[in-house]
Amino acid sequence: MSSRERLVNATAAPRCAAGARQAPPLVVRDVDGPLEMADCVALYDRVMGLRPGDGSLNPRLLTALQDNSGLVVGAYLGEALVGFTYSFLARERGVDGQGPRLYQYSQLAVVAHERQGLGIGRLLKLGQRDRCLAEGTTLIRWAYDPMQTRNAHFNLDVLGTVVDAFKPAMYGASGFGAATGESTDRFIVSWHLDAPARPAAPAPGPPPGGWSVGQVYDDGDDRIVVLPDDWHRLRAEAGPEHAARLRGRLTPTFTRLLAERTAVSCVRLPGGLAAYRFVPRAAAPGTAPAPDRAPHGRTPHA
């Protein structure tokens, strides 16, 4: 099978009832042609819940990206598109006399609502990884909302990325779709495809007085930051104003920590909480994906 197509084990596909027709295998491959590009645009609009003024993609943009060193990778059940991701070739400035380094910047990955929880997001990222390695690219970067701790766990603990930058209000002070009204703060992750796999980070033990949301705790040389483990539920139950205040409190915290540290893990804690682990930059090795880890069904980034 070519590097452009990954036939996925049938366990990743929806299960059929006893006696029903066998579901088609899930295939991760390059999106092909304007009609399939249009399917990507339609899926993106549905998943993101976009309003008329939010803007969107279009098939011409995706085609131009794919034809000029970008990647548009889709997940298909038979002929049906159930998820896709796209990226474009980028470069960082050279340092210490070395030339600029090329990488793929992954702008988004989406999975159909009815197919989430099946590991399709993870398989899309592995397909994207395969395409990058086949073309000699060993680094992928993307952005995600740091408050979405389940996405953080997928990015950091499942795939093995690291957070090495923070951009408050990256897309403006008010988000779009389901995140309308929220600041578009983003962590930037780096996925080093050619580095050895990183050992799993230890789960932090609770401090004597218990965890407190928004606080920073010492764990040896590491720093632990505690957040709610379900941001959407917090906004619904405590209200968007409370959520905005918490986000605002954490902006200087993340800025300070990432000036000299790297986030390498985000794990769930008891009581509806989650904990980021920030380590000194010198202690943060390059990372590689660990495809044998359990899949996670959440959308990795947007």
Side-chain angles (χ1 to χ4, degrees):
M1 182 171 296
S2 74
S3 62
R4 292 174 177 261
E5 181 174 297
R6 174 189 285 264
L7 180 63
V8 177
N9 189 292
T11 56
R15 295 192 178 115
C16 295
R21 174 185 288 183
Q22 179 66 38
L26 182 73
V27 175
V28 176
R29 61 169 175 81
D30 284 2
V31 178
D32 185 19
L35 293 180
E36 290 192 351
M37 295 296 184
D39 289 340
C40 291
V41 174
L43 178 62
Y44 175 66
D45 289 348
R46 290 198 305 274
V47 171
M48 299 303 294
L50 298 180
R51 303 168 304 172
D54 284 336
S56 183
L57 303 173
N58 65 70
R60 297 182 302 280
L61 172 62
L62 294 177
T63 299
L65 286 169
Q66 188 181 61
D67 289 347
N68 292 276
S69 300
L71 301 173
V72 186
V73 178
Y76 290 86
L77 279 172
E79 298 298 318
L81 177 77
V82 295
F84 81 100
T85 182
Y86 85 82
S87 62
F88 53 85
L89 194 64
R91 68 177 183 179
E92 62 185 14
R93 295 177 180 177
V95 295
D96 299 329
Q98 298 180 357
R101 182 179 187 182
L102 298 179
Y103 60 94
Q104 284 282 331
Y105 185 83
S106 186
Q107 176 61 28
L108 63 87
V110 296
V111 175
H113 288 301
E114 68 275 13
R115 303 299 184 188
Q116 293 181 9
L118 300 172
I120 293 174
R122 175 175 176 267
L123 294 168
L124 277 170
K125 297 307 293 181
L126 293 178
Q128 190 179 50
R129 168 189 178 269
D130 289 349
R131 293 289 286 108
C132 285
L133 290 174
E135 297 183 357
T137 303
T138 60
L139 175 63
I140 307 175
R141 289 192 170 121
W142 65 86
Y144 76 95
D145 183 350
M147 303 304 175
Q148 302 293 342
T149 56
R150 300 185 188 190
N151 287 352
H153 177 74
F154 172 85
N155 291 330
L156 302 177
D157 299 279
V158 176
L159 293 179
T161 69
V162 296
V163 175
D164 45 25
F166 175 51
K167 293 193 175 184
M170 180 172 172
Y171 301 119
S174 180
F176 53 90
T180 297
E182 288 199 77
S183 180
T184 59
D185 307 328
R186 295 294 186 267
F187 275 174
I188 310 299
V189 300
S190 294
W191 195 14
H192 298 274
L193 307 180
D194 58 348
R198 183 181 68 229
W211 300 112
S212 181
V213 170
Q215 296 301 309
V216 181
Y217 299 90
D218 293 345
D219 188 9
D221 291 334
D222 300 350
R223 300 293 179 267
I224 305 298
V225 179
V226 176
L227 273 70
D229 79 337
D230 189 331
W231 188 249
H232 295 301
R233 185 177 64 203
L234 174 77
R235 291 189 82 231
E237 294 179 354
E241 295 82 6
H242 174 84
R245 287 193 296 270
L246 176 57
R247 186 184 288 273
R249 282 172 49 203
L250 284 165
T251 294
T253 298
F254 290 147
T255 300
R256 183 181 72 254
L257 288 172
L258 286 169
E260 56 185 23
R261 295 176 179 275
T262 299
V264 298
S265 176
C266 186
V267 296
R268 181 176 290 187
L269 300 174
L273 302 175
Y276 275 104
R277 179 176 293 274
F278 293 80
V279 304
R281 286 191 181 269
T287 59
D292 58 331
R293 295 182 187 175
H296 197 291
R298 298 293 177 133
T299 302
H301 57 289

